[in-house]
Amino acid sequence: MSNRVTLSVDAMGGDFGPHVILPACISALKRYPYLEILLIGEISQLDDVFSKQNCPELLRSRLELVSAGESVSMDEKPSSAIRHRQDSSMCLAVKAVGEKRADACVSAGNTGALMAFGRMVLKMLPGIDRPAIIASVPTMTGHCYILDLGANVDCSAEHLLQFAIMGSVMMEAVEQKRRPTVGLLNVGEEIIKGNEQVRLANDLISQQSGLNYIGYIEGDDVFDGKADIVVCDGFVGNVVLKSSEGLARLITCKVQESFTRNWVRRLMALLSRPVLKEIQVQMDPSRRNGATLLGLQGIVIKSHGGADKKCFGYALDQAIAEVLQNVPVRISERLACYMNAPDERSSE
Amino acid sequence: MSNRVTLSVDAMGGDFGPHVILPACISALKRYPYLEILLIGEISQLDDVFSKQNCPELLRSRLELVSAGESVSMDEKPSSAIRHRQDSSMCLAVKAVGEKRADACVSAGNTGALMAFGRMVLKMLPGIDRPAIIASVPTMTGHCYILDLGANVDCSAEHLLQFAIMGSVMMEAVEQKRRPTVGLLNVGEEIIKGNEQVRLANDLISQQSGLNYIGYIEGDDVFDGKADIVVCDGFVGNVVLKSSEGLARLITCKVQESFTRNWVRRLMALLSRPVLKEIQVQMDPSRRNGATLLGLQGIVIKSHGGADKKCFGYALDQAIAEVLQNVPVRISERLACYMNAPDERSSE
């Protein structure tokens, strides 16, 4: 890898397309002097939005606008995208990574289509059956990574093991955290523990002495920060993440209601504004925007569709961090170790 | 049913046993002049705690202390409880309902054991395979019921249908809400929709024209109040509920941190105390304490193990409301209708 980092960015994805994504890219080019961006989209739209930006000439040389014939809609089925949208901004962004013209790609578009293009163009890492979506959430002690967030609704015990390994490597690489703890999400201790897959996965993961496995954790442990990596199937992960976003919204709304009920309170709100603002920022799920499609032979980052400029910037940050840490290669190396020595503990 | 309501209460369950439960019962007897309570536990402990209470003589006549030989520990397996703890306070409380000496029972003890005693003593309603745990959570528009919360980790489509019916009847009966909306919890719209059981359940529930079914909902819809009843398997429900409690705790903690960072802020916190207190109360999961084991031929309410006096009182309130609304009989009647006309829509 040269000293430069090149990102291919799908300009057409998300709710606001280039209107948000182009300014976010310019801002990232300012933050990272070694960054180059291939911004892919409908070229007339890109030119139009670009003409309204105040982009210094020095940055302009590191931003290449690339024409794409079409784009993928948010409700298009992955199978249809694969068949009919290979000339889309999203697919071209992934292809740029496959052809080594970019080190990572970022899109705020249709997750299913992005995953399908990722698998088709980049292929899976050896030993990984399916990609997993991983993202971080805030906890009492900082933050943790949780996976899978919806790529796989039915997971075998082997898949959960693969998630544990990939999550561990990801955190070690991106956060420089040594031997991060891994917890397997399960139901309350009072009830007969978990379902078949979870019990089997517990056995499998326990056998991997390379992992710092702490066993089962429960729903409330996620935000308490009990584990650095929370492993679960994509159905559970998706529901946990989305319900948390919903609850955070509910609480924000209740706080605002409480502070506007009468004049005295509105005055209080005015005085407390810095504090309330700070809390709102901490609770803002977009602060940690940028989910990774893990398990591919290349870096693909999914941004929230509703991301604003700042929020899309976090997804770009995430992509750059993973390029600098060479995440897919590291996962691949660690996987090879695990595959060759699957039950170190039992042979001790 | 007479004009009196009799509750049998397991005095030994939960983290604090009679020290919390006895005062909560006395307080409930004050609130409900028609209430009688059989308080079951180790009699010397009950007498001891009772002697320290200031209980008016008039109330005393409506409170019967009943001796139990033993109690169920929080980590005892249901199978072991069934075999060895039939003389426990928990089992005797359930038996009081089975023998019609009480209209409902309440326990803050081991959920698995409570469910096992419920099935053994009270039996399931005809047409219901397994009990489900149901509780309500706050939403933007008020609150919704969610089930199952952990009684069943593997659910078939038929089970999910039964949950939909039971939840509907519960809300109609207890909240006097006509045709409450039912949503089936599923993963994000971008991903290939749900797993096999959820897709099958969607078909089954759609066919029940008696239900006000609104189709799939996602995690964030739960707290947005999109559905009055949220149906999911016990693994997902348990994780959603517990992770929400964890997140609420995290946010409360961050709010406190924000308000104590310096002197000015501490002053703000002092001035804003009524508002902050109000928010904390709204976010407090214990406010809605009292989960119902639905599907039994009798009313069994599970309180949080960590409930304080006020919080245990909510569980007693819930039990009384279900007695007054005759919930199990209503569910039974509605089930009979559904079972006799399973696909009204298709025969129209």
Side-chain angles (χ1 to χ4, degrees), chain A residues 31-299:
Chain A
R31 287 201 300 285
Y32 300 98
Y34 52 80
L35 178 63
E36 296 191 341
I37 289 179
L38 307 176
L39 187 63
I40 306 170
E42 292 174 22
I43 203 74
S44 63
Q45 265 201 60
L46 293 189
D47 282 336
D48 187 44
V49 177
F50 185 79
S51 67
K52 289 166 192 151
Q53 304 295 317
N54 186 9
C55 179
E57 194 54 38
L58 257 169
L59 298 190
R60 183 64 186 87
S61 64
R62 295 190 277 124
L63 176 68
E64 187 181 337
L65 304 183
V66 180
S67 170
E70 56 196 347
S71 51
V72 179
S73 70
M74 288 307 261
D75 55 2
E76 186 146 14
K77 283 194 174 171
S79 54
S80 157
I82 288 283
R83 233 166 317 174
H84 307 298
R85 300 281 178 262
Q86 298 213 8
D87 194 31
S88 64
S89 53
M90 182 189 280
C91 189
L92 295 182
V94 178
K95 283 180 176 167
V97 177
E99 294 157 2
K100 311 281 181 209
R101 288 182 292 114
D103 302 303
C105 86
V106 180
S107 173
N110 180 323
T111 312
L114 185 61
M115 204 151 59
F117 287 135
R119 293 186 73 161
M120 179 188 81
V121 174
L122 303 175
K123 313 291 181 212
M124 301 306 299
L125 289 171
I128 300 291
D129 298 326
R130 314 194 211 170
I133 302 177
I134 186 170
S136 68
V137 298
T139 68
M140 289 282 184
T141 54
H143 62 272
C144 70
Y145 279 97
I146 174 164
L147 78 166
D148 172 45
L149 294 173
N152 312 281
V153 288
D154 286 304
C155 291
S156 69
E158 284 75 20
H159 294 137
L160 294 170
L161 170 62
Q162 292 168 13
F163 297 168
I165 297 172
M166 292 196 292
S168 271
V169 178
M170 170 91 167
M171 189 150 215
E172 281 172 3
V174 177
E175 319 257 335
Q176 277 88 49
K177 177 143 198 170
R178 290 196 55 177
R179 290 184 58 71
T181 52
V182 176
L184 183 59
L185 198 56
N186 201 352
V187 293
E189 78 280 5
E190 313 96 348
I191 323 285
I192 308 113
K193 282 239 180 269
N195 53 26
E196 188 69 10
Q197 303 94 285
V198 169
R199 280 195 301 268
L200 282 173
N202 180 56
D203 294 343
L204 278 182
I205 302 174
S206 302
Q207 286 163 24
Q208 299 288 348
S209 60
L211 292 175
N212 190 3
Y213 180 55
I214 60 166
Y216 294 133
I217 63 167
E218 290 187 52
D220 44 349
D221 298 327
V222 174
F223 294 100
D224 284 354
K226 203 166 173 184
D228 294 317
I229 295 111
V230 176
V231 172
C232 58
D233 76 45
F235 196 106
V236 172
N238 186 280
V239 170
V240 166
L241 189 74
K242 292 207 166 162
S243 64
S244 306
E245 287 172 3
L247 179 60
R249 248 193 336 260
L250 171 67
I251 295 175
T252 309
C253 174
K254 293 288 175 198
V255 169
Q256 279 166 353
E257 265 178 35
S258 287
F259 269 108
T260 49
R261 196 155 305 149
N262 58 41
W263 281 106
V264 180
R265 290 192 170 190
R266 262 169 272 179
L267 180 65
M268 292 304 315
L270 206 65
L271 295 169
S272 309
R273 191 180 278 172
V275 191
L276 294 177
K277 184 77 200 160
E278 185 180 293
I279 295 163
Q280 204 172 3
V281 167
Q282 283 183 333
M283 278 167 24
D284 181 7
S286 74
R287 224 180 33 127
R288 307 205 69 85
N289 184 36
T292 304
L293 304 194
L294 221 50
L296 299 168
Q297 295 188 31
I299 300 167

Side-chain angles (χ1 to χ4, degrees), chain B residues 74-114:
Chain B
M74 287 308 261
D75 55 1
E76 187 145 14
K77 282 193 175 172
S79 54
S80 156
I82 287 282
R83 231 166 319 175
H84 307 298
R85 299 282 177 262
Q86 296 214 8
D87 193 31
S88 63
S89 54
M90 182 189 279
C91 189
L92 294 183
V94 179
K95 282 178 177 167
V97 177
E99 295 157 3
K100 310 284 181 207
R101 288 181 293 114
D103 302 304
C105 87
V106 181
S107 173
N110 181 323
T111 312
L114 185 61

Side-chain angles (χ1 to χ4, degrees), chain B residues 41-55:
Chain B
E42 293 175 23
I43 203 76
S44 62
Q45 264 202 62
L46 292 188
D47 283 336
D48 187 45
V49 176
F50 185 78
S51 67
K52 289 167 193 151
Q53 303 296 317
N54 186 8
C55 179

Side-chain angles (χ1 to χ4, degrees), chain A residues 150 191 218 242 261 278, chain B residues 150 191 218 242 261 272 278:
Chain A
I191 323 285
E218 290 187 52
K242 292 207 166 162
R261 196 155 305 149
E278 185 180 293
Chain B
I191 322 285
E218 289 187 53
K242 293 206 166 162
R261 197 155 302 150
S272 311
E278 184 180 294

Side-chain angles (χ1 to χ4, degrees), chain B residues 46-231:
Chain B
L46 292 188
D47 283 336
D48 187 45
V49 176
F50 185 78
S51 67
K52 289 167 193 151
Q53 303 296 317
N54 186 8
C55 179
E57 195 53 38
L58 257 169
L59 298 190
R60 181 66 186 85
S61 64
R62 294 190 278 124
L63 176 67
E64 186 181 340
L65 304 184
V66 179
S67 170
E70 56 195 350
S71 52
V72 178
S73 70
M74 287 308 261
D75 55 1
E76 187 145 14
K77 282 193 175 172
S79 54
S80 156
I82 287 282
R83 231 166 319 175
H84 307 298
R85 299 282 177 262
Q86 296 214 8
D87 193 31
S88 63
S89 54
M90 182 189 279
C91 189
L92 294 183
V94 179
K95 282 178 177 167
V97 177
E99 295 157 3
K100 310 284 181 207
R101 288 181 293 114
D103 302 304
C105 87
V106 181
S107 173
N110 181 323
T111 312
L114 185 61
M115 206 152 57
F117 288 135
R119 291 184 74 160
M120 180 188 80
V121 174
L122 304 175
K123 312 294 181 212
M124 302 304 301
L125 288 171
I128 299 292
D129 298 326
R130 312 195 212 170
I133 302 177
I134 185 170
S136 67
V137 297
T139 67
M140 290 282 184
T141 54
H143 63 271
C144 70
Y145 279 97
I146 174 165
L147 80 166
D148 172 44
L149 293 174
N152 311 281
V153 290
D154 286 304
C155 292
S156 69
E158 284 75 19
H159 294 138
L160 294 171
L161 170 62
Q162 292 168 12
F163 298 168
I165 296 172
M166 293 196 291
S168 270
V169 178
M170 170 91 166
M171 189 150 214
E172 280 172 3
V174 177
E175 319 258 336
Q176 278 87 49
K177 178 144 196 168
R178 290 194 57 176
R179 291 183 59 73
T181 51
V182 176
L184 183 60
L185 198 55
N186 200 352
V187 294
E189 78 283 2
E190 312 96 348
I191 322 285
I192 307 114
K193 282 243 179 266
N195 53 27
E196 187 69 10
Q197 304 95 284
V198 170
R199 280 196 300 268
L200 282 173
N202 180 56
D203 294 343
L204 277 182
I205 301 174
S206 302
Q207 286 164 24
Q208 298 288 349
S209 59
L211 292 175
N212 190 2
Y213 180 55
I214 59 166
Y216 294 133
I217 62 165
E218 289 187 53
D220 45 349
D221 298 328
V222 174
F223 294 100
D224 283 355
K226 204 166 172 184
D228 294 316
I229 295 112
V230 176
V231 172

